[in-house]
Each structure stands twice: as structure tokens, then as C-alpha cells.
């Protein structure tokens, strides 16, 4: 039997057209993906630029600021990745990853492989890997592929741009290809029905990322007989169903559309052998978790132990690791890179700038970039902003001022989003203004510069955003516009920069020292940078598991609640009195510490998904009311609605959550995660 689960055609018809293809035929999708001969790809060298670091805090002269700061600019040549100034750089160079420390935990960890040839991925897949000029595995691939091929579950944390996609795709393709060849020999036809029953499911948080994974997997499935399909929201389901009808072994999906098609009985998960969650921490944060739990636990998917589960991300906060461990069985935890190590490839700069001066600084940076660019071309630059509205407004303003720009955000329809990506990738609009919808996973070649026009609210978001440059061994530049509003991020930003051997401006250290609003905020502002360690090693972990340790009202010394919790980082914790803590679903953080309550309310804390923050210094990420603090209704939120992460009164955010004042988690309805 083949791995095909969906069969609309006549019984006995073989689905794999690939078997009848001309030997050596390379389809167009694969052809254009092969990189050009590196020898022919020697481009222009930029003149070296003078390096200077003007201290700019707290200077409020827009012109002065802007003029001072462009001196620091260092942009890599998009083709050769040759830097224009001071800094070491080179063409694609995976040796940049060679010294990265790697840590594994769990029992009986299979040894890493040094080359693809050493790994038994199968002849056809190995040939495709060679064709794509993947000369040697990246560190995450060296470790993750043997682990995965041995059938073990895996939670893997590795730097942005370090090849995680192939790390989970190759073993899946290889093992399905093997099973198909046996089945084809034995049976000669496909089993199927009117329901697509894939053998592997890859879930990702955004439509664009799903498309990208689909393309990548498809490329490597060439002539293996393994079929890949993708389903995601915003595109006609009919077309996707037609594709599924041709047969699918590996399904790439966003959660919303997948649930829809399962509920319409067009997809069954009953035969899933491999489950991969890309950007796994995101998938289990920000309100995805209920959907993921539904897919994994309530939709007929074989349970942990009978399927293989792999979770990948560049960031993995402990609370999320705990949630994720529900989906895993006897897993290996793999972390590639001492925290911050490979982001040394990304030169990070932070500029202090008031909100009113940001545009002027941006224009000066862009002009300097262009002046240094190859043949006066604007290098590809990704500009992140906080809200959809500001993305539109900045894009229009840039265009009016002679900078060809496009934008991508959740209010644009799918064809517009795809068109924006295309025109950015090909350089027709070398500037793209984006919200966080483009922050994770997107692999856009030759992005030379990421500008955080508005910094994200958490350090994980920063890691992923800047990771859109400096990928696959190339260097890149990331500039952060830091304003007073970003004060809570200062400490974590400094830690991250130090870990990646970046120069931290003195004014930023001063800022961090002056920040005294309640301790380290380990979820949103402190922890969770890439790397990290296996939470199972955490000595502080409550002994009785994530639902609390000592009694029905919860665990640890400082908490209670129906799900209890431990002393710190309680995923389901109740009320926290004092201390620094994370409570992912918990009620109130009361007291002195800087508490994060991802799904609850509380005083002096961050409430990601609603509830009421009563007291000062509150962030409400996804709705709910902050009473006190900056303003009534929603501090750090966009009261008029339309904010990307905003809650506030009657607003719809980037991810299409309809939130109402003070709405609790249950009242928030996700409508756009598809
Ligand atoms: N072994 C390899 N040799 C050469 N290039 C590779 C190799 N593995 C991956 N790449 C390339 O590196 C780039 C980054 O890979 P990928 O998108 O998988 O990174 P990632 O770790 O998933 O990043 P992110 O955390 O941002 O999602 C891609 O263009 C991919 O084709």
C-alpha cells in the first residue's frame, strides 16, 4: 500500500506520476531552486565604511540624530554577503556554525552525523540534497536527523536561519519514501478513500510559513514518490482539496484551515506517524494552544508513543516546554547554540529615538544604505512595526518619499500578502513594512537589514524578527529604534546582545539600570532567548508535574488555584503573591514581583490574553482591560482597535482575535488563525 490516503480516482491507478517521469527530469519548481554556481556569483564589493558609535540618548533633534547614526551602517552585499564596513563577513559559510555548542538531554541519544553521506536518508533524497548544494549538514541537522531517524521524539531549539526546516523534513521524507517503496512493491497501488489520510503532519503558525515549508519539502521529495500538500486559510479550499485529491503523504498546514477540513471530513489524522510543529513555542503560546491540543488530542491522531513528534523553534520558554511535553514521549531535548552564539552573524545596533523622530532616522538610514548598495540599489530591508495601521501608514509615507515599499500584515488579503512577499523578494519593492506576521520562519534570501521601527514587546519576538537576516551562515544587520516605551525590554536586550558579542551602548545600560518596575520579567522581557535548556533539568520544577505539586489547590509555596503550580513559572498557576513568576493560565499576580499572567488578570503584571490588570505598569497583549497603569482600557494596547497585538475596547488584532473590554480567555474567539 502506498502512503496515499486520499483517492478520488479509480482503484488501482498509481498516484505517483513521478515514477513515470523521464529519468533525470528536473521539474521547474526544483530547477529554479538550485542555487547558481557560487563561482559565478561574485558580486560587488562595498567600500569600507567608517565605524562610529554616536551616543544618542537622550537627544531629541531629529536631524542631528539621523545624521549621526548613519555612520554606523554596515550593509552586506546581497549577493556576496560581503560587508561594506568593518566586520568580518564572507559568502555563505556554514563553518560559522562549527563552534556552536550543542547540548542534548534525554536517554540514549543517538550520535550526531558529520555528513549527509553518513546518514542513511536514501539514495534519491541524498541526490536531491546534493542538487540543492547542501554540502554538509548544519549543526541542528547533524544532531536532529539521526535522532529523528531513530524514531525518537524531539524538542529542538536552534538559531534562526540554521536549517531547522530540513532538520525535520529530511527524516520525515526519508522514512515515508522507504515505507512507500516497500508498499509499492508489495501492493502496486494506493490505498485511499474520500478522505485525505496523510502519514505526516507539519503545523506552522502562518500561511506564508506553511507555503514556504511546503515548497521546501516538495523540492526534496522530487522523485522520491512522496507527495506533499499544503492547506492554509485565506486561499480557496477547493483548490487545496483538489491537490489533496491527488494524494498526500506529508501535509503542511495552519491550524484553522486544518481543523475546518477535518471537521468537514476531508482530512483524517488517523494514520499520522510523524507530527512536526515548526515555531513550536508560538504554536503553544498566543492562543494557538487550544487549537493545537484539539488537533493533536481530539481529532483521532495516534497518541504519543505511537507517533513521532518533533517540536522546533529558535526560542523555547520553560512554560511552553512544559505544555509541549504533553505531546511528547520519552523525548530528547536538543539545544544548538549557547544562548546567542550564532546571532553573532547578525550585527545588532540600537538607536535611541523618540517616536516623532523615527521616520526621519529611518529615511536617513535608507539613504545611507542605498548609497552603499550595489550600483546604488536599495538592499532588501525589512521594517517591523507594531500595528497593521502603522504598517500601511509607513508604507504609504515611504512610497510618497521615493522609497519603493510594500507591506505585509493581517488586514491584507492573502493574494495581497503573497504579492507583497513576491515583490519584496525580487527587489521590485526592496522595502517591506511588516507586522509580526512576517517575524517567524520566513526565509527570504538576501535580506540585508532588519529595522525594528517599533520594537516588539518581548525578547523572543526580537530574536525571531532579526533572524530574518543573517541566515544560512550569512551576516546581516539589525537596527532597533529604542524609545521610552521600550524601557521594559532594555535588560533582556542587553543580555541578548552580550551573549551574541555585540557592543551594548552605554545609554542602554543606564536605561536598564533605571528600570525598576518589578523585577525580571522572565516570560515577556527576560527569558526565552534562543537556546535555553531542558526544563526537565530545572531543579525548581514542582515534583508532581505541571498541575501542581502538593494539593488540589495547587503546589508551591507562593501559589494556589485549581491547577496549582510550582514555585515559579507555573503554566496553570493560580495566584502569585510576590516574587517573579510566570503564570501562563493563571489568575492574578499580586505583589511585588514582575509577574506575567499569560491568560489571566492580576496586578502589576502582564496579561497576554485578557483579564484585568489592576495596577500600574501593566501590559495586556490580547485584550482585556488594564485598569490603572497608562490608561484606562488598555495600556500598551490600541483602544481604537486594529492594533496588531492590541486588546482594548472592541478591537481586532493582527491575529483576528475579537476582544472585548475585560474579556477573559474563554470569551476571546480566534477567527483568523487559519
Ligand atoms: N545544510 C545546508 N546547507 C546549505 N544551506 C542550507 C542547509 N540547511 C538549510 N539551508 C538553507 O538555510 C536557509 C535557512 O534555513 P531554514 O529556513 O530552515 O532556517 P530555520 O532554522 O528554520 O530558521 P527560522 O528559525 O527563522 O525559521 C534556507 O535558505 C535553507 O535552504
Amino acid at each position: 500500500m502506498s502512503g496515499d490516503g486520499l483517492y478520488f480516482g479509480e482503484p488501482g491507478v498509481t498516484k505517483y506520476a513521478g515514477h513515470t517521469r523521464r529519468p533525470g527530469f528536473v521539474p521547474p519548481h526544483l530547477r529554479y531552486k538550485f542555487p547558481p554556481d557560487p563561482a559565478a556569483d561574485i558580486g560587488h564589493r562595498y567600500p569600507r565604511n567608517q565605524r562610529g558609535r554616536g551616543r544618542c540618548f537622550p537627544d531629541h533633534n531629529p536631524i542631528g540624530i539621523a545624521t549621526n547614526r548613519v555612520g554606523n551602517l554596515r550593509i552586506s552585499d546581497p549577493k556576496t554577503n560581503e560587508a561594506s564596513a568593518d566586520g568580518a563577513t564572507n559568502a555563505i559559510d556554514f563553518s560559522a556554525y562549527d563552534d556552536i555548542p550543542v547540548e542534548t538531554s534525554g536517554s540514549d541519544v543517538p550520535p550526531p552525523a558529520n555528513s549527509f553521506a553518513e546518514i542513511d536518508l536514501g539514495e534519491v533524497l541524498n541526490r536531491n540534497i546534493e542538487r540543492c548544494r547542501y554540502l554538509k549538514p548544519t549543526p541542528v541537522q547533524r544532531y536532529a536527523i539521526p535522532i529523528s531517524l531513530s524514531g525518537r521524539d524531539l524538542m529542538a531549539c536552534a538559531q534562526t536561519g540554521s536549517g531547522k526546516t530540513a532538520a525535520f523534513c529530511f527524516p520525515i521524507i526519508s522514512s515515508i519514501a522507504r515505507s512507500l517503496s516497500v508498499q509499492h512493491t508489495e501492493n502496486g497501488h494506493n490505498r485511499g478513500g474520500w478522505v485525505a489520510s496523510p502519514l505526516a503532519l507539519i503545523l506552522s503558525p502562518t500561511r506564508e510559513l506553511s507555503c514556504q515549508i511546503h515548497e521546501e519539502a516538495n523540492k526534496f521529495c522530487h522523485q522520491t514518490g512522496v507527495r506533499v500538500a499544503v492547506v492554509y486559510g485565506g486561499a480557496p479550499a477547493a483548490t487545496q482539496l483538489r491537490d489533496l485529491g491527488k494524494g498526500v503523504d506529508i501535509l503542511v498546514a495552519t491550524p484553522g484551515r486544518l481543523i475546518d477540513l477535518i471537521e468537514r471530513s476531508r482530512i483524517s489524522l488517523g494514520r499520522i506517524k510523524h507530527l512536526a510543529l515548526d515555531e513550536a513555542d508560538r504554536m503553544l503560546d498566543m492562543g494557538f494552544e487550544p487549537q493545537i491540543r484539539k488537533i493533536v488530542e481530539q481529532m483521532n491522531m495516534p497518541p504519543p508513543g505511537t507517533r513521532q513528534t518533533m517540536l522546533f523553534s529558535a526560542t523555547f520558554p520553560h512554560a511552553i516546554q512544559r505544555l509541549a511535553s504533553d505531546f511528547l514521549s520519552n523525548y530528547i531535548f536538543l539545544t544548538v547554540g549557547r544562548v546567542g552564539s550564532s546571532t553573532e552573524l547578525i550585527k545588532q545596533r540600537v538607536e535611541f529615538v523618540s517616536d516623532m523622530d523615527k521616520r526621519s532616522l529611518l529615511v536617513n538610514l535608507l539613504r545611507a544604505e542605498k548609497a552603499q548598495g550595489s550600483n546604488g540599489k536599495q538592499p532588501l530591508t525589512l521594517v517591523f512595526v507594531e500595528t497593521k495601521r502603522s504598517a500601511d501608514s509607513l508604507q504609504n509615507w515611504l512610497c510618497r518619499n521615493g522609497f519603493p515599499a510594500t507591506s505585509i500584515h493581517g488586514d491584507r488579503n492573502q493574494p495581497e500578502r503573497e504579492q507583497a512577499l513576491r515583490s519584496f523578494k525580487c527587489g521590485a519593492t526592496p522595502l517591506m513594512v511588516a507586522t509580526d506576521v512576517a517575524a517567524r520562519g520566513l526565509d527570504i534570501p538576501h535580506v540585508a537589514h532588519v529595522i525594528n521601527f517599533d520594537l516588539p514587546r518581548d525578547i523572543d519576538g526580537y530574536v525571531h524578527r532579526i533572524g530574518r537576516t543573517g541566515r544560512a551562515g550569512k551576516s546581516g544587520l539589525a537596527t532597533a529604534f529604542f524609545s521610552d516605551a521600550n524601557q521594559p525590554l532594555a535588560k533582556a536586550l542587553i543580555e541578548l546582545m552580550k551573549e551574541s558579542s555585540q557592543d551594548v551602548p552605554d545609554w542602554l545600560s543606564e536605561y536598564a539600570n533605571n528600570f525598576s518596575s518589578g523585577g525580571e520579567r522572565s516570560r515577556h522581557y527576560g527569558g526565552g532567548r534562543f537556546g535555553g535548556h531542558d526544563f526537565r533539568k530545572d531543579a525548581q520544577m514542582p515534583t508532581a508535574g505541571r498541575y501542581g505539586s502538593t494539593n488540589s489547590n495547587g503546589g508551591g509555596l507562593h501559589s494556589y488555584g485549581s491547577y496549582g503550580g510550582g514555585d515559579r513559572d507555573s503554566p496553570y498557576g493560580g495566584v502569585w503573591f510576590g516574587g517573579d513568576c510566570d503564570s501562563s493560565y493563571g489568575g492574578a499576580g499580586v505583589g511585588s514581583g514582575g509577574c506575567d499572567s499569560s491568560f489571566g488578570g492580576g496586578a502589576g503584571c502582564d496579561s497576554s490574553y485578557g483579564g484585568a490588570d489592576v495596577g500600574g505598569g501593566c501590559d495586556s497583549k490580547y485584550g482585556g482591560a488594564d485598569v490603572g497603569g497608562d490608561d484606562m482600557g488598555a495600556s500598551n494596547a490600541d483602544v481604537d482597535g486594529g492594533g496588531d497585538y492590541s486588546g482594548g475596547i472592541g478591537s481586532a488584532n493582527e491575529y483576528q482575535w475579537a476582544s472585548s473590554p475585560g474579556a477573559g480567555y474563554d470569551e476571546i474567539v480566534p477567527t483568523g488563525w487559519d
Side-chain angles (χ1 to χ4, degrees), residues 277-533:
L277 261 63
D278 197 13
E279 307 298 345
D281 57 329
R282 177 65 101 217
M283 302 294 278
L284 296 171
D285 193 2
M286 293 183 61
F288 260 131
E289 197 240 345
Q291 291 192 54
I292 301 300
R293 214 167 262 288
K294 184 171 181 181
I295 291 169
V296 177
E297 293 175 343
Q298 296 159 30
M299 298 192 119
N300 199 29
M301 187 185 292
T306 58
R307 62 159 199 262
Q308 179 181 46
T309 308
M310 295 181 280
L311 310 179
F312 281 77
S313 185
T315 49
F316 245 124
H318 281 193
I320 301 292
Q321 282 190 38
R322 278 186 202 147
L323 290 178
S325 62
D326 275 1
F327 302 144
L328 297 157
S329 162
N330 185 26
Y331 66 95
I332 291 167
F333 182 86
L334 165 68
T335 179
V336 180
R338 183 172 36 79
V339 178
S341 54
S342 112
T343 48
E344 286 175 27
L345 291 165
I346 306 167
K347 171 87 182 158
Q348 297 174 54
R349 299 163 8 126
V350 189
E351 302 291 356
F352 189 89
V353 58
S354 67
D355 285 341
M356 61 183 288
D357 296 336
K358 281 183 176 180
R359 286 187 175 186
S360 133
L361 175 56
L362 177 65
V363 160
N364 281 284
L365 287 177
L366 296 177
R367 283 199 182 120
E369 235 178 33
K370 194 171 174 186
Q372 293 180 5
S374 156
N375 297 328
K377 275 196 205 154
Q378 189 82 53
L380 296 196
T381 301
L382 191 49
V383 183
F384 281 103
V385 294
E386 181 73 11
T387 66
K388 294 176 280 193
R389 213 170 29 195
S390 52
D392 279 339
S393 141
L394 186 60
Q395 180 214 348
N396 288 335
W397 184 82
L398 284 168
C399 290
R400 280 200 310 275
N401 284 279
F403 294 96
T406 183
S407 69
I408 186 164
H409 59 73
D411 267 358
R412 303 201 77 186
N413 63 34
Q414 196 52 26
E416 285 170 342
R417 279 161 64 159
E418 286 171 16
Q419 171 56 28
L421 264 183
R422 271 195 302 273
S423 92
F424 180 57
K425 278 183 181 174
C426 74
T429 48
L431 306 177
M432 185 161 81
V433 186
T435 60
D436 265 334
V437 82
R440 284 186 176 241
L442 292 188
D443 185 52
I444 303 169
H446 313 310
V447 173
H449 194 180
V450 170
I451 298 176
N452 274 296
F453 187 89
D454 298 322
L455 272 162
R457 291 162 36 82
D458 59 79
I459 199 68
D460 290 356
Y462 175 80
V463 168
H464 286 278
R465 282 181 179 189
I466 67 170
R468 297 317 98 212
T469 185
R471 300 176 67 74
K474 293 180 185 171
S475 63
L477 175 67
T479 304
F481 289 5
F482 189 98
S483 71
D484 285 325
N486 306 122
Q487 198 184 40
L489 193 66
K491 222 169 168 178
L493 188 57
I494 290 173
E495 273 173 38
L496 183 82
M497 290 178 77
K498 283 185 179 160
E499 283 152 1
S500 351
S501 310
Q502 305 291 312
D503 297 326
V504 178
D506 293 342
W507 63 262
L508 187 57
S509 307
E510 280 169 38
Y511 230 97
N513 290 337
N514 291 338
F515 178 47
S516 57
S517 82
E520 193 122 343
R521 298 179 164 199
S522 61
R523 270 290 292 110
H524 293 301
Y525 297 109
R529 289 166 300 284
F530 84 78
H533 70 283

Side-chain angles (χ1 to χ4, degrees), residues 119-165:
I119 314 171
D120 187 16
L121 286 168
E123 201 188 315
V124 185
L125 178 52
N126 268 336
R127 209 164 47 229
N128 291 340
I129 291 170
E130 269 171 37
R131 281 170 167 164
C132 289
R133 304 248 173 92
Y134 280 26
L135 301 181
K136 66 177 197 176
T138 64
V140 66
Q141 292 163 1
R142 288 182 55 223
Y143 283 80
I145 295 175
I147 290 171
S148 170
L149 282 177
S150 76
R152 295 290 297 278
D153 282 5
L154 175 65
M155 192 186 287
C157 191
Q159 311 84 349
T160 53
S162 64
K164 293 188 287 296
T165 314

Side-chain angles (χ1 to χ4, degrees), residues 539-605:
Q540 298 287 328
M541 192 183 146
T543 49
R546 42 179 274 263
Y547 290 101
S549 53
T550 55
N551 59 48
S552 61
N553 282 336
L557 188 58
H558 301 299
S559 69
Y560 69 89
S562 54
Y563 290 100
D567 203 20
R568 295 166 62 91
D569 296 343
S570 164
Y572 291 92
V575 179
W576 294 93
F577 293 97
D580 296 336
C581 56
D582 293 336
S583 172
S584 288
Y585 293 89
V590 181
S592 60
C595 303
D596 293 338
S597 172
S598 291
F599 292 90
C605 59

